[in-house]
Amino acid sequence: MSSWFEAYKGEISRELENEVLKIALERFSATYWSKRNAAIKNLPYYNYYRKRAREIKTWSIEHIDELIKMTKENIESLGGTFYLARNAEDAVKHVTKICEERNAKLAVKAKSMVTEEISLNEALIKKGIEVVETDLGEWIIQLRNEKPSHIIYPAIHLTTEEVARTFSKTLNSEVPPDATKLVRIAREKLREKFVKADIGISGANVIAADTGTVLLIENEGNIRFSTNAPPTHICISGMEKIVPTVEDAVLISRVITPNATGQLMPVYISLITGPSRTADIELKLTLGVHGPKEYHMVLLDNGRSKMMEDPDFKEASYCIRCGACLSDCPVYREIGGIVWSHKYMGGIGAIWTTFTHGLDKAAPLALTCTTCGRCKAICPMEIDTPTMILKIREKLLKAGLTPPQLISIAENIKTYGNPFGALR
Amino acid sequence: MRYGLLYWSGCTTSYLAPELSGNVVKLLGKLGVEFRALGSREKCCGYPLLLLGDGGSFSELAADVSEVIKSEEPEAVLTNCPGCYRCFVNYYPKLSGIKVMHTTHLIYDAVKNGKLKFRGGEKLRVTYHDPCDLGRHSGVYDLPRNILTSIPNVELVEMSRSRENSRCCGAGGVLRLSIPQLSTQIAVTKIKDDVSPLNVDAVITACPTCIKNLKDGSSISEMLYGTKGLAIYDIVELINMLTE
Ligand code: SF4
């Protein structure tokens, strides 16, 4: 009997034979593992940081309503706007409205998985707004019309050679497979966009409630440009990102960075607290000096409240999106994150997808896990993804989404006393 | 050394690697440990049901299996399967009072008490693969390593990813049955990236499922990438080979 699972296995099979992916993941896996370990070795207080980070996140999720309220009040008092979007549609509508009211022609974007989650780009483009991704990896996959394959490294499924081919095609002239040259091209092409953009859209790595500050981590400098050059900045993020204080936010950034990229510190950490302002002339408050005059924060629920209230899955909302669990996952190492995702990838992605996009979309993700526990062991927050994966598999069975092939294994056990259907 | 022991081989060993249960029996003989086995009354422990999300069927099955085991009144249940081991320890409340042992516990005790006479001989350079259910999920990391380092002619070298960082053999979570091509590919990478740089003669592990997958992975890696041919042994097998 053919099922969606057979079709999905076909996709996996193609990925296993994808030569570009094979090389890209081989290079990535070796480099990531050694860089990350070296960084952790150089952080004598890493265990202190990550244990404290877990305490902060645990407390924050317990007090999320209070933190949201505080964030809203602070941002509004700074002259910004705050909007809590119930779901993807609500968030897209709100952002589109902001753009349309400002007659926006061009929006530049810093990397944001939440905008992937809600398919924001597609919606804005439909309204005739040009959307340009400015993170190098995101820009590459935007040129290729692909989705991100990793929450930290969106284009990690590609080799330098393949990126050069993409650039050559886009520019209509031969570009050599040389990272320095490729980066140079991105710098030149994107610079004008930053200046011309009407809107800058960013995500948030962490949000501090007591000041309404957004913390953004990056190395390229594109986030600084995107959130600084355009007259309007829209920050859109999941509501679970809020912690009580700026100090907490910075501490969490110290846990994200080594796990994400193997650095002790990123090149840039931006702390943004409302729109740009001055009071240099007679102490008269004026908004929008060199940075944006307008600042809008959109926080997204889209299943998150449900996740936070569910004792079986609450832990998934402690995730600080460092990507370590994907980067050293044995399954990810083989198939990457294009096939093994709806929007979010891998094991932790299966949990997220269940709440943001539904159980049916999470089914293939949850069934591709070896439940080996590698993710839990590397996760700085000690999130027990494998146990949650089994809980999702329970839900799948109850919802009739478990493929017949897997049901037959269970039937074998019940009928023959072994999973193979062998006669004793 | 008497345990009042019930030997539980588990489905993978019984159906896919019967020679391994032969090896366990042989080792028990060497150690002079009396034991019983359930024979055809041994059913699946139900662990794959948990992996498939069928908690309801699991509870029913576990209740039956618990009854059968308890009817034997053993002091301890011994298994060479980390899946069964993890399952008994964590999901069989009715077995409380009966000690559950993995073969690495048995061998470690035997080594510690000087019950095993190593034959010596040619030097063997090995690495140890941590089965997920024994290592990460049950915290048994040191026992197998202590056993291996106490064998005079065995040299143990570690993979760069070992213990809690160990790469799964690829067979976990029923992946070997559900998506076999992916499952095998993980084993190929394990051999190629983690094992082959060590230039070892053998990979030692302590799980029948890992053995199956790593053997597949090793022969494919040898064919495709020209990595050196490797012996893949269960620690029980290795001990039998190296003792009188
Ligand atoms: S689950 Fe843990 S390791 Fe994975 S992205 Fe979240 S915090 Fe990082």
Side-chain angles (χ1 to χ4, degrees):
Chain A
M1 204 205 303
S2 86
S3 69
W4 62 267
F5 193 59
E6 291 306 318
Y8 173 64
K9 278 166 69 176
E11 288 176 44
I12 288 184
S13 199
R14 277 193 291 285
E15 286 302 60
L16 289 173
E17 277 144 32
N18 175 342
E19 288 303 322
V20 171
L21 183 67
K22 212 177 268 183
I23 299 167
L25 289 176
E26 177 161 20
R27 289 176 186 165
F28 170 60
S29 136
T31 316
Y32 171 79
W33 178 237
S34 61
K35 272 186 70 181
R36 185 243 176 215
N37 286 351
I40 302 283
K41 255 192 214 124
N42 283 317
L43 281 172
Y45 301 117
Y46 173 68
N47 277 325
Y48 163 76
Y49 284 141
R50 66 179 191 84
K51 292 216 182 303
R52 181 71 192 122
R54 169 129 185 156
E55 282 170 13
I56 293 168
K57 288 297 284 187
T58 307
W59 193 93
S60 303
I61 300 300
E62 291 307 326
H63 297 81
I64 194 70
D65 292 335
E66 172 188 333
L67 292 177
I68 290 175
K69 188 166 165 277
M70 201 184 290
T71 306
K72 174 179 157 65
E73 286 166 4
N74 280 321
I75 289 187
E76 286 172 351
S77 77
L78 291 161
T81 75
F82 178 94
Y83 188 74
L84 183 64
R86 279 158 311 174
N87 53 33
E89 197 193 332
D90 190 14
V92 167
K93 241 197 215 153
H94 182 73
V95 174
T96 313
K97 192 164 150 251
I98 295 175
C99 295
E100 288 193 314
E101 281 171 2
R102 277 141 200 88
N103 209 359
K105 304 268 175 303
L106 171 64
V108 285
K109 280 187 71 212
K111 187 170 67 189
S112 144
M113 278 307 296
V114 164
T115 59
E116 296 288 342
E117 173 185 331
I118 62 174
S119 304
L120 180 65
N121 289 13
E122 291 85 333
L124 294 180
I125 291 166
K126 241 193 219 149
K127 296 281 178 190
I129 300 166
E130 183 189 354
V131 180
V132 179
E133 294 287 351
T134 63
D135 172 85
L136 179 58
E138 285 283 346
W139 190 54
I140 293 166
I141 60 166
Q142 187 183 31
L143 294 177
R144 296 170 59 93
N145 206 5
E146 285 177 336
K147 59 177 179 177
S149 66
H150 192 293
I151 57 173
I152 304 291
Y153 306 99
I156 205 64
H157 56 291
L158 303 171
T159 54
T160 315
E161 295 79 2
E162 193 57 28
V163 174
R165 273 194 280 278
T166 301
F167 279 23
S168 304
K169 221 167 117 193
T170 311
L171 301 174
N172 234 333
S173 82
E174 196 58 28
V175 177
D178 171 345
T180 317
K181 296 221 167 74
L182 296 169
V183 168
R184 190 83 222 164
I185 291 171
R187 182 185 165 98
E188 278 163 18
K189 290 281 154 198
L190 291 175
R191 193 139 294 228
E192 50 174 304
K193 301 289 181 189
F194 290 123
V195 184
K196 281 196 194 145
D198 308 293
I199 309 270
I201 299 173
S202 79
N205 289 102
V206 203
I207 300 166
D210 70 344
T211 51
T213 302
V214 166
L215 184 146
L216 286 156
I217 301 173
E218 63 165 330
N219 288 311
E220 295 177 10
N222 69 303
I223 296 187
R224 297 217 150 174
F225 260 132
S226 303
T227 58
N228 203 48
T232 300
H233 173 196
I234 304 173
C235 168
I236 172 161
S237 175
M239 63 196 264
E240 84 290 355
K241 292 273 175 73
I242 312 183
V243 296
T245 68
V246 174
E247 286 79 358
D248 295 334
V250 171
L251 183 137
I252 286 174
S253 79
R254 307 267 352 240
V255 182
I256 296 175
T257 309
N259 282 297
T261 55
Q263 293 164 286
L264 302 187
M265 281 292 278
V267 179
Y268 308 106
I269 289 183
S270 300
L271 294 165
I272 302 175
T273 314
S276 149
R277 59 163 67 198
T278 183
D280 273 5
I281 302 170
E282 275 192 22
L283 287 188
K284 262 191 222 145
L285 179 66
T286 312
L287 297 185
V289 192
H290 302 291
K293 182 172 182 170
E294 281 192 52
Y295 178 80
H296 306 275
M297 177 177 281
V298 184
L299 285 194
L300 181 65
D301 187 330
N302 206 26
R304 286 164 174 80
S305 315
K306 268 212 178 114
M307 184 199 286
M308 293 176 191
E309 282 158 15
D310 190 328
D312 287 342
F313 297 100
K314 180 195 253 172
E315 218 189 9
S317 63
Y318 303 167
C319 172
I320 54 174
R321 303 291 208 280
C322 70
C325 55
L326 296 172
S327 300
D328 210 50
C329 165
V331 171
Y332 190 92
R333 163 71 178 82
E334 307 305 334
I335 58 173
I338 298 276
V339 162
W340 198 25
S341 68
H342 176 62
K343 303 286 179 167
Y344 293 106
M345 318 80 191
I348 188 70
I351 321 297
W352 276 88
T353 304
T354 302
F355 290 88
T356 56
H357 295 90
L359 196 57
D360 55 327
K361 301 284 191 295
L365 313 192
L367 294 172
T368 315
C369 173
T370 70
T371 64
C372 74
R374 176 72 192 106
C375 48
K376 185 186 170 195
I378 200 171
C379 174
M381 308 298 282
E382 294 173 29
I383 295 172
D384 191 353
T385 300
T387 297
M388 287 190 279
I389 290 280
L390 295 185
K391 293 257 157 64
I392 300 232
R393 289 185 182 182
E394 263 176 50
K395 281 177 183 278
L396 292 175
L397 193 70
K398 286 195 185 112
L401 287 165
T402 306
Q405 185 199 351
L406 298 190
I407 302 255
S408 74
I409 301 174
E411 288 306 321
N412 284 340
I413 294 176
K414 287 187 262 179
T415 315
Y416 302 102
N418 68 76
F420 318 111
L423 292 170
R424 186 112 201 175
Chain B
M1 196 154 75
R2 292 179 66 98
Y3 285 98
L5 201 64
L6 181 72
Y7 169 48
W8 174 279
S9 61
C11 299
T12 309
T13 304
S14 300
Y15 295 98
L16 303 181
E19 67 289 351
L20 186 50
S21 60
N23 257 302
V24 175
V25 169
K26 188 170 159 193
L27 179 65
L28 288 168
K30 279 189 188 185
L31 295 173
V33 177
E34 282 177 30
F35 70 97
R36 281 162 287 169
L38 291 170
S40 61
R41 284 188 303 144
E42 187 185 302
K43 295 267 150 51
C44 177
C45 71
Y47 184 42
L49 290 171
L50 287 177
L51 297 176
L52 292 163
D54 196 350
S57 304
F58 172 78
S59 300
E60 283 173 31
L61 180 65
D64 288 352
V65 171
S66 298
E67 282 316 306
V68 176
I69 292 179
K70 278 187 350 204
S71 72
E72 293 286 316
E73 299 180 4
E75 272 171 49
V77 176
L78 170 75
T79 182
N80 59 292
C81 177
C84 299
Y85 173 76
R86 176 191 185 192
C87 186
F88 286 149
V89 169
N90 293 290
Y91 308 109
Y92 269 68
K94 289 193 180 136
L95 283 191
S96 74
I98 300 176
K99 190 172 163 194
V100 181
M101 297 169 72
H102 182 258
T103 33
T104 46
H105 294 104
L106 174 87
I107 300 171
Y108 179 72
D109 282 351
V111 169
K112 207 173 60 183
N113 297 323
K115 300 268 175 183
L116 286 168
K117 290 218 162 28
F118 292 105
R119 231 188 263 124
E122 241 178 86
K123 215 166 136 110
L124 194 65
R125 187 176 157 91
V126 306
T127 190
Y128 177 74
H129 162 72
D130 290 278
C132 304
D133 284 328
L134 195 61
R136 272 189 293 263
H137 295 310
S138 303
V140 180
Y141 296 116
D142 290 331
L143 292 187
R145 290 177 168 80
N146 290 343
I147 297 168
L148 292 170
T149 49
S150 69
I151 309 176
N153 57 323
V154 166
E155 181 198 358
L156 174 68
V157 283
E158 293 283 354
M159 292 178 243
S160 78
R161 288 177 175 88
S162 76
R163 302 175 73 100
E164 65 271 21
N165 298 325
S166 173
R167 189 195 306 264
C168 174
C169 75
V174 300
L175 208 70
R176 190 178 153 88
L177 297 176
S178 58
I179 316 180
Q181 190 190 0
L182 171 60
S183 172
T184 307
Q185 186 53 48
I186 295 172
V188 173
T189 299
K190 169 125 202 165
I191 298 290
K192 179 170 77 70
D193 289 5
D194 301 345
V195 177
S196 86
L198 303 176
N199 193 27
V200 292
D201 309 306
V203 180
I204 313 302
T205 187
C207 170
T209 315
C210 294
I211 293 216
K212 282 269 153 202
N213 238 39
L214 292 177
K215 277 188 177 164
D216 291 351
S218 177
S219 47
I220 294 173
S221 171
E222 200 181 329
M223 208 163 63
L224 291 183
Y225 305 105
T227 53
K228 161 173 162 183
L230 287 165
I232 317 278
Y233 295 129
D234 191 281
I235 194 157
V236 176
E237 249 180 302
L238 181 80
I239 294 293
N240 276 337
M241 276 164 45
L242 300 181
T243 53
E244 283 167 10

